[in-house]
Amino acid sequence: MDSGLLLQQLTNGISLGGMYALIAVGYTMVYGVLRLINFAHADIMMVSAFLCFFALSMLGLPFWLACVVGIVASAVLGILIDKIAYKPLRFAPRISMLITAIGVSFFLENSFNVLFGSSPQSFIAPPFLMQTITINNISFTIIALIVPCITIVLLMLLLLLLYHTKQGIAIRAVAFDVYTISLMGINPNKIISLVFAIGSSLAAVGGICYAISYPSIEPLMGVTIGLKAFAAAVLGGIGSVGGAVLGGFLLGFTEVLVVLIFPNLSGYQDAFAFLFLILVLLLRPVGIMGDERLERSRF
């Protein structure tokens, strides 16, 4: 195997895994607090890409400001989804919240399908982000280098928030026992809204990075990548922030290495990624960083 080609694919895997990781963290945080698989989470990624696109093309905002608009609006959307769709069902059976999450996902997809049409839209990013750098015959774009850096920085900031701030302590307390903490002067609904805002913001960053790396957006863009991000969260250990990031990078590496080792099977790279997930779960059902002894304490 050509070592240069291997390093090239590993570089691609780091970039792809970083995007999976950003979205997977949102899945795992919401699950850690509510024990809910928020299927609308991947569609928030799509919404952020479209809002950034709208701010660039229609409003003519600078790229950085358009990104801020997309991220902030996605955070607000995440809070609204919780307030409108999930909060009334807080003490309902889990299946009710799960069905509601699927309904919210369909609502967002079809709403943007009506507003923007089903045809893919070209996402125009600043040219410097798509510039190619070649080092020792390894070529990668600027955005491919930026994505994993953003992922690591945001992970560090998130861990700092969770373990060194009052809000982080409150989030971990809610994840441990949402019923008891209300007796200690903590409003669980405010903390849950904060979790949705953080998770949606991370999904927004992932969506914008994805739109730049693969400059085409459409209303169903979140379906496949959201499913893979959820698989990454499960692979790393659903409920573990570090596990979600690790799972995202492992899933990204798996996809690109399949193309490298079995080029004739490149069309089945998604199947190989989920096959890898199944094999890991057969050996360790709680995921790589999951711990059955800490079933209630998710962070």
Side-chain angles (χ1 to χ4, degrees), residues 21 23-33 35 155 158-159 162-163 175 229-230 232-248 284 286-291 294-295 297-299:
I23 303 168
V25 169
Y27 274 117
T28 207
M29 288 192 68
V30 172
Y31 181 83
V33 171
R35 307 300 188 265
L155 173 63
L158 181 58
L159 292 177
L162 289 175
Y163 290 97
F230 173 63
V234 175
L235 175 63
I238 188 73
S240 169
V241 171
V245 175
L246 176 62
R284 186 167 175 77
V286 295
I288 296 174
M289 296 183 66
D291 190 343
L294 302 177
E295 177 63 21
S297 182
R298 289 294 175 176
F299 297 112

Side-chain angles (χ1 to χ4, degrees), residues 68-87:
V68 171
V69 169
I71 294 170
V72 173
S74 297
V76 173
L77 176 61
I79 295 173
L80 290 176
I81 289 174
D82 172 56
K83 295 292 186 184
I84 296 172
Y86 300 147
K87 184 180 178 180

